[in-house]
Amino acid sequence: MERQFTALLPFGSDHEAATTTLINDGSRRLNKNPALRRKLQQGQRKVTVPFTGQLVSTLALPFEGEDFLRLCEFIVKGLVWHCWKHIIPRQYIVEVRFPTNIGQVFFADLLQNYPQNIRTQSFANGAFEYRCTRYNQDMSFTVWRLRFYGDLTLAGVDPQGQPVPLQIWAITGPPEINQILNQL
């Protein structure tokens, strides 16, 4: 799964690290994965997206959002260990989403609940960044905002077929938080 996304994600950004990755490793990675190369070639299409206040024409590539979210679940579990040397209990949930605008507000509010625990880190000059917090009463209750390649353009499609920019948010916690998440 990670091979697919390390080959695909740099195409969605003009971040310096993404450009370098495409130049240095893009062809090699796609040549090692002919099925992915064919899928990208066959699935590409032209789209118009908002960019710095204007509509611009660009190329969209097929993207398996559910697989990407599953990969991000593993990343979040590793980051919990990286930040707090803590392992998420097996019975807890790890939920990664591309939330709606309402969901983004919900997650952003949760992130601010424990400002003393907020951690922010950037790797490779913004190639990967996170901002997170954990709750004092439960070290396994965490909230995350993930960013890949700074301005990576991930987009879903609204009911009218228009691209909608997506953010990546994650939460870990007891199973009871599913009741709240199901309402978003």
Side-chain angles (χ1 to χ4, degrees):
M1 192 172 5
E2 69 276 2
R3 286 185 184 178
Q4 174 183 347
F5 292 109
T6 56
L8 178 61
L9 291 180
F11 284 101
S13 175
D14 62 0
H15 187 277
E16 177 184 332
T19 303
T20 302
T21 298
L22 284 173
I23 291 168
N24 294 338
D25 302 324
S27 294
R28 180 182 53 82
R29 285 182 177 166
L30 289 175
N31 287 336
K32 282 185 168 183
N33 192 337
L36 176 61
R37 188 178 68 240
R38 278 191 304 278
K39 181 179 177 179
L40 295 177
Q41 288 171 335
Q42 293 169 357
Q44 66 184 342
R45 61 189 173 90
K46 289 190 181 224
V47 294
T48 303
V49 295
F51 181 73
T52 62
Q54 301 178 62
L55 292 177
V56 296
S57 181
T58 189
L59 193 63
L61 297 173
F63 185 78
E64 302 296 333
E66 293 300 317
D67 289 345
F68 180 66
L69 294 177
R70 268 199 315 273
L71 176 62
C72 288
E73 288 176 9
F74 290 108
I75 292 169
V76 166
K77 287 178 184 179
L79 287 172
V80 169
W81 177 257
H82 172 76
C83 288
W84 296 294
K85 305 296 185 249
H86 183 75
I87 297 174
I88 301 293
R90 194 174 296 241
Q91 70 273 19
Y92 272 45
I93 66 159
V94 178
E95 180 79 22
V96 183
R97 293 185 173 195
F98 300 122
T100 63
N101 289 341
I102 292 169
Q104 290 174 26
V105 170
F106 170 77
F107 281 110
D109 286 348
L110 282 179
L111 188 62
Q112 297 307 316
N113 279 347
Y114 287 88
Q116 69 276 16
N117 295 333
I118 289 179
R119 304 270 175 101
T120 302
Q121 188 155 5
S122 177
F123 297 92
N125 198 25
F128 175 70
E129 300 174 337
Y130 66 81
R131 183 171 176 82
C132 64
T133 194
R134 69 173 174 76
Y135 283 49
N136 289 331
Q137 300 88 341
D138 184 346
M139 287 186 64
S140 297
F141 197 149
T142 67
V143 180
W144 302 81
R145 168 71 165 95
L146 307 177
R147 293 181 62 170
F148 293 84
Y149 293 116
D151 60 350
L152 176 69
T153 303
L154 293 174
V157 178
D158 71 12
Q160 291 75 35
Q162 298 301 308
V164 178
L166 300 174
Q167 293 183 359
I168 307 163
W169 286 88
I171 189 168
T172 66
E176 295 80 23
I177 65 173
N178 269 327
Q179 296 169 3
I180 298 167
L181 295 174
N182 289 337
Q183 296 175 20
L184 298 177

